[in-house]
Amino acid sequence: MNLITILWSMAAAISLSLGGIHGTVWFSDRKVRAELWFAVAAVCMCTYPFFDMAMMRASTAAAYGEAARWALLPIALMTAAMLMLVHSHMGTGRRWLLILALTSRLGAIVVNLACPQGLFFDSIEGLRTVTLLGEAVSLPVGVPGRWMWVEHLGAVIWMGYVADASVRLWRKGDAEGRRRVAMIGGGILLIFVPGLVQASLVVRQVISVPVMVTPFFTVLMLAMGFELSRDVLRAAQLSHSLAESEKRLALAATAAQLALWEWDLRTNLIWVSNEGRRIYGVGQDEEIDFQRFVATLHPEDRDMVAVEVDKTMSGAGLFSAEYRVVVPDGKERWVAASGRLERDAKGRALLLRGVSMDISEKKRSEQELMQKRQDLTHLSRVSMLGELAGTIAHELNQPLAAMLSNSQVGRGMFDSPDPDLNELASILEDITSDAKRAGSIIHGMRAMFKKESLVEMQPVNIHEAVNQVCSLLHSEIVVRKAKVTLVLAESLPDVMAGRVEIQQVLINLVLNSLDAIKAAGNSLGQVRISTEHRDGRVIISVSDNGPGIAPEMLTRLFEAFATSKPGGLGLGLAISMGIIKNFEGDLTGGNLPGGGAAFHISLPAIRE
């Protein structure tokens, strides 16, 4: 076997191997279009060396012309594939120029097949031989084709496309882009073009060497294959790095007890990490769809989760919810989940991915803290009522004394021979009124002493609460020689709160004002309670003309155990703040410009 056969066959084998390798890469990832077009170009290239050898070993002019005629077909197809490769790999080519270049390639093929001798020769009159690599090879002697300008025009167009795409990518200044220009655009222009020029000079019989397109094209295939292989190698390295990152992320998520999940909306299947399967009580090999996920939820939470999912799909695409799941052994777990919706270019929902966390311990801690807070609030009420024991006794003594007095008078009237029935009726009405007043005081005390497991949320009329507090504290206000002024809004909406808790806060604020007035020795103590409705909120203000709040206490008003009272625990305002916060309200306090202190309760009004 001679050297030409070996080298040209090796060129064909190299191109075929490259085409197979990169075709396989494309088949594994259909998005990598550059791999497809390189594979097509390489397969076309692997057939061309045989046309080269057919021309060099032609024994007749007809055989040479036939080989030259059909050799244009793989060259044109390979050129078209390379143009598509440039378009895919660089991404900067002008589409209209690409279409024009591809059209010129198609036009050259049509003209070549339409001409009896092809577009390279009008006629081949004979052959002559020269020596190449120790072997005699044939050269054409004839008339160059009149239609060769079609091939030359097409070459100018597609070279212009490659050059334009290369320049535009180079101007972007990206190092990766410029390397692509050098390897792909530069390779085509610096290797492909000289090969075509050499072939044209042979056809015009300017040089006495055979057509040597195969070596040029083989070098180009190797250069372009190397360039694309670098991308494949880099993708493999990135894949390896991604796999390592995923392992680290999975380890971190497991350590933090986070469950990673993805819901593919196209297939309705949910992927979840091992930690997630543990949290939701799902088997390791069990397939999970949305219906299976819903089945893990506590029946009382399913509607809420469905509403949150609908909001995510129709809104900004953010999902956040806390719900309970029931695991196979019947136990309940609290889960906090958050995620983000991903959409395609047309806005269609594709994927909802996020994380979940088992917050059962947190919920238990919150419930324990809430219970302790409620216990403390209850103890504060009991303590406050203990301080008011004398006042409450006096408040009860008044109606009881009146009832006793009225009942004695009424009893005496029965000894009269002609008792006044109208007077007796009036006495009985007074006894009934005093009994109701005493009962109201006792009912209020019982409500204060009662220990509820949960705050009873209900619409609360603030004016009724204020009046009840003033009635309960009436004797205390009289003993302190203070005056309470009510400035109540004409129309005030109710608030959603606990009636007893609101009264507790108001009692605490009024008592604080009375204590401050007493400590200052003010003989004309005044407490002002006002209400107003502003910006959808109910505002209750309690102010006094006492000495005000000490500067060092202003920043610590609502801290536990912070107090300026001798023997005080400093829990009243801290507990009051907790109560108001629980009703989505706010409690603030400060000094008035003219002296004295003022506290303001702000609660959301119930919308009518």
Side-chain angles (χ1 to χ4, degrees):
M1 184 179 295
N2 57 52
L3 197 55
I4 291 178
T5 301
I6 294 174
L7 295 178
W8 265 243
S9 298
M10 287 177 61
I14 290 171
S15 296
L16 184 60
S17 298
L18 290 173
I21 293 171
H22 289 273
T24 302
V25 172
W26 169 80
F27 191 78
S28 64
D29 184 1
R30 306 294 179 83
K31 296 180 181 179
V32 189
R33 297 291 180 85
E35 300 289 339
L36 169 64
W37 296 120
F38 179 77
V40 172
V43 170
C44 293
M45 171 57 201
C46 78
T47 64
Y48 183 79
F50 299 103
F51 291 102
D52 246 1
M53 288 190 290
M55 286 186 286
M56 286 189 286
R57 292 172 177 170
S59 57
T60 64
Y64 191 100
E66 191 69 14
R69 183 187 186 199
W70 288 104
L72 181 65
L73 183 60
I75 292 177
L77 294 177
M78 181 174 63
T79 306
M82 287 187 175
L83 293 175
M84 294 302 299
L85 186 153
V86 169
H87 187 75
S88 301
H89 198 55
M90 292 187 179
T92 52
R94 302 177 196 269
R95 186 176 295 274
W96 67 268
L97 192 53
L98 172 65
I99 294 173
L100 184 61
L102 294 175
T103 302
S104 71
R105 293 291 78 207
L106 178 61
I109 293 174
V110 171
V111 172
N112 184 68
L113 295 178
C115 296
Q117 299 295 325
L119 60 76
F120 289 112
F121 294 96
D122 279 350
S123 63
I124 299 178
E125 300 169 354
L127 299 174
R128 57 193 180 93
T129 60
V130 296
T131 301
L132 178 65
L133 299 178
E135 182 181 355
V137 296
S138 300
L139 296 179
V141 177
V143 179
R146 72 189 71 177
W147 291 98
M148 278 188 65
W149 65 268
V150 175
E151 173 65 16
H152 294 158
L153 177 61
V156 171
I157 294 174
W158 68 253
M159 283 189 290
Y161 170 78
V162 173
D164 177 68
S166 299
V167 170
R168 296 180 69 185
L169 182 57
W170 186 273
R171 286 177 176 172
K172 289 187 174 182
D174 178 67
E176 178 65 23
R178 289 185 173 181
R179 188 180 57 77
R180 291 185 176 186
V181 169
M183 297 299 294
I184 301 296
I188 291 175
L189 295 176
L190 297 178
I191 299 175
F192 202 127
V193 173
L196 296 180
V197 171
Q198 191 266 347
S200 297
L201 294 177
V202 172
V203 170
R204 294 187 178 276
Q205 301 149 56
V206 176
I207 56 176
S208 297
V209 293
V211 174
M212 299 287 288
V213 172
T214 294
F216 288 103
F217 286 5
T218 302
V219 173
L220 178 61
M221 287 292 108
L222 289 172
M224 295 177 68
F226 174 77
E227 163 65 14
L228 294 178
S229 296
R230 286 186 76 260
D231 287 348
V232 174
L233 179 61
R234 186 173 56 185
Q237 292 172 341
L238 290 175
S239 177
H240 176 72
S241 299
L242 180 61
E244 291 298 319
S245 297
E246 288 179 348
K247 290 180 182 179
R248 288 192 289 267
L249 178 61
L251 180 61
T254 302
Q257 295 184 328
L258 291 176
L260 309 179
W261 49 265
E262 292 181 359
W263 178 19
D264 190 332
L265 298 172
R266 294 165 297 184
T267 62
N268 197 36
L269 294 179
I270 299 175
W271 170 87
V272 64
S273 63
N274 292 334
E275 178 66 14
R277 290 180 177 272
R278 183 195 67 78
I279 291 176
Y280 289 91
V282 179
Q284 292 296 322
D285 299 325
E286 185 177 354
E287 185 176 83
I288 307 175
D289 56 16
F290 187 70
Q291 289 70 29
R292 178 66 181 91
F293 160 71
V294 172
T296 66
L297 301 177
H298 191 285
E300 295 179 2
D301 294 343
R302 291 174 183 174
D303 290 342
M304 179 272 293
V305 172
V307 169
E308 291 300 322
V309 170
D310 290 340
K311 288 181 180 178
T312 302
M313 299 300 175
S314 59
L318 298 178
F319 174 78
S320 180
E322 291 186 0
Y323 47 82
R324 291 164 292 175
V325 298
V326 182
V327 295
D329 61 5
K331 294 182 179 179
E332 295 181 6
R333 289 185 181 139
W334 273 97
V335 176
S338 60
R340 181 184 295 272
L341 183 67
E342 296 182 7
R343 302 180 183 273
D344 61 12
K346 296 182 179 180
R348 293 173 297 194
L350 294 179
L351 190 72
L352 180 63
R353 72 170 86 233
V355 296
S356 296
M357 175 185 288
D358 186 346
I359 59 170
S360 302
E361 289 299 325
K362 175 186 174 185
K363 283 291 183 180
R364 277 191 284 270
S365 298
E366 288 178 352
Q367 290 173 354
E368 291 176 0
L369 181 61
M370 182 179 296
Q371 184 62 49
K372 291 178 180 178
R373 184 183 294 120
Q374 289 172 353
D375 292 344
L376 184 61
T377 301
H378 174 253
L379 290 174
S380 175
R381 286 202 301 267
V382 173
S383 174
M384 184 169 57
L385 288 174
E387 294 177 8
L388 295 173
T391 298
I392 294 171
H394 181 71
E395 286 291 318
L396 285 173
N397 188 55
Q398 284 184 340
L400 290 175
M403 290 167 62
L404 177 61
S405 176
N406 281 324
S407 64
Q408 289 174 341
V409 172
R411 178 67 185 84
M413 291 180 67
F414 277 107
D415 295 333
S416 173
D418 188 17
D420 188 344
L421 297 181
N422 290 331
E423 183 68 19
L424 280 173
S426 177
I427 290 172
L428 291 175
E429 287 179 1
D430 288 344
I431 292 174
T432 301
S433 176
D434 288 333
K436 288 181 177 179
R437 180 184 173 191
S440 175
I441 294 171
I442 294 173
H443 178 76
M445 289 176 58
R446 288 184 61 190
M448 286 286 187
F449 276 111
K450 189 175 181 181
K451 182 179 180 182
E452 298 285 353
S453 59
L454 291 175
V455 176
E456 184 181 353
M457 299 288 287
Q458 58 183 314
V460 176
N461 185 303
I462 294 298
H463 288 171
E464 289 182 1
V466 169
N467 287 324
Q468 289 171 358
V469 166
C470 290
S471 177
L472 185 62
L473 297 179
H474 177 263
S475 294
E476 189 73 18
I477 295 169
V478 171
V479 169
R480 303 287 185 93
K481 298 180 181 180
K483 179 182 179 181
V484 175
T485 303
L486 301 183
V487 183
L488 306 181
E490 293 185 2
S491 177
L492 195 71
D494 291 349
V495 299
M496 186 61 67
R499 180 180 59 83
V500 172
E501 285 74 17
I502 291 296
Q503 289 180 351
Q504 178 180 352
V505 174
L506 289 172
I507 290 173
N508 185 67
L509 294 180
V510 173
L511 287 178
N512 283 349
S513 292
L514 294 175
D515 289 341
I517 292 171
K518 180 181 178 181
N522 194 337
S523 59
L524 299 174
Q526 293 186 355
V527 178
R528 184 177 186 270
I529 303 175
S530 63
T531 61
E532 64 175 313
H533 180 211
R534 183 173 69 239
D535 299 329
R537 301 184 75 83
V538 171
I539 312 297
I540 312 144
S541 300
V542 178
S543 59
D544 59 64
N545 63 342
I549 303 167
E552 64 272 13
M553 289 297 299
L554 281 173
T555 58
R556 305 178 59 208
L557 270 180
F558 303 103
E559 290 183 10
F561 308 112
T563 180
S564 58
K565 293 182 182 179
L569 293 177
L571 292 176
L573 288 178
I575 292 173
S576 297
M577 173 64 84
I579 292 173
I580 297 302
K581 287 290 186 183
N582 193 41
F583 302 143
E584 299 182 4
D586 196 15
L587 174 61
T588 59
N591 289 321
L592 295 172
F599 287 83
H600 308 281
I601 302 170
S602 173
L603 293 166
I606 297 177
R607 296 181 180 179
E608 298 180 357

